[in-house]
Amino acid sequence: MKIVVIGATGTIGKAVSSALQEHEVIKVGLNNGDYQMNLESPESIRDLFASIGKVDAVVSTSGQIVFGAVNELSDADYAMTINNKLLGHLSLFRIAAQHLNTGGSFIVTTGYLAQHPIPGSAAISTVNAALDAFVKAAALEMGDTLRVNAVSPHFVTETMLAMGMPTDGGISAADTALAYRHLLEGDHNGISLDVRDFLASR
């Protein structure tokens, strides 16, 4: 398969690219990678797909977010999280769908904070829940032409270490990447795959 990985230079993106190494993986980052793309710019997204042509799958592990107490988050904090992770992925889907081969796959990253918020997660919990709902709704309309799914990671061990957090309950990036591979190689449509539940069921 010819697979585009958006956010391929991040912790999860690197692991996903590695897990798919037997495929043709096109690595896309904001400032590095095989190609560069700004998720908040539809023109940048269109330029990317004009350059790479038809593909079999698009996987996005990207998305900028803001954590903060709900009574301290500013309009700008909400706008950045919504414009980047939510509206950016709606643009990505709309444009990528025109370049995906019939029966192709589009996978976005949400997160368990949509269903299990923690203090400070008001902005990102809202956006993740919206993306989960979008995946379900879009899949209803795509039918057999395009599979639309989400992966819902838990805290990634490597990220927890980088932030100086205890790693209890963390899941490695490599194990997280297995959920993306499962959706790419399966026939699921319209689901948000919780990484912890997926690993426990294997």
Side-chain angles (χ1 to χ4, degrees):
M1 287 191 289
K2 184 177 180 181
I3 303 169
V4 179
V5 178
I6 311 292
T9 57
T11 301
I12 295 178
K14 287 178 182 177
V16 170
S17 298
S18 178
L20 300 172
Q21 58 186 328
E22 76 272 25
H23 298 285
E24 179 185 354
V25 178
I26 299 170
K27 302 174 185 177
V28 180
L30 179 60
N31 298 307
N32 42 28
D34 301 324
Y35 293 88
Q36 291 75 52
M37 189 202 77
N38 180 355
L39 193 58
E40 293 185 41
S41 168
E43 180 179 2
S44 177
I45 299 171
R46 282 191 289 268
D47 288 345
L48 169 69
F49 284 98
S51 297
I52 62 179
K54 288 284 189 177
V55 299
D56 299 301
V58 174
V59 177
S60 178
T61 63
S62 186
Q64 296 181 16
I65 58 174
V66 176
F67 277 92
V70 69
N71 60 352
E72 296 176 1
L73 289 167
S74 66
D75 288 346
D77 292 332
Y78 281 111
M80 191 277 279
T81 304
I82 292 169
N83 289 338
N84 190 280
K85 185 156 189 184
L86 178 56
L87 297 182
H89 280 105
L90 299 187
S91 294
L92 177 64
F93 173 80
R94 187 177 67 253
I95 295 166
Q98 302 172 31
H99 298 271
L100 278 157
N101 291 320
T102 300
S105 177
F106 181 91
I107 299 174
V108 67
T109 302
T110 58
Y112 79 105
L113 292 176
Q115 291 77 34
H116 306 284
I118 61 174
S121 72
I124 185 56
S125 292
T126 299
V127 166
N128 282 348
L131 282 172
D132 280 341
F134 172 76
V135 161
K136 293 175 184 177
L140 292 175
E141 298 186 39
M142 293 296 101
D144 296 331
T145 63
L146 172 62
R147 294 186 299 113
V148 189
N149 293 295
V151 171
S152 180
H154 288 245
F155 272 116
V156 175
T157 306
E158 291 88 338
T159 302
M160 297 170 83
L161 284 170
M163 296 174 65
M165 298 171 58
T167 58
D168 295 344
I171 298 174
S172 72
D175 282 344
T176 299
L178 297 177
Y180 293 85
R181 184 184 181 108
H182 177 73
L183 288 180
L184 281 169
E185 296 179 345
D187 58 2
H188 298 288
N189 197 16
I191 71 165
S192 181
L193 184 62
D194 182 284
V195 172
R196 188 176 299 284
D197 290 347
F198 163 69
L199 292 173
S201 69
R202 296 178 71 231

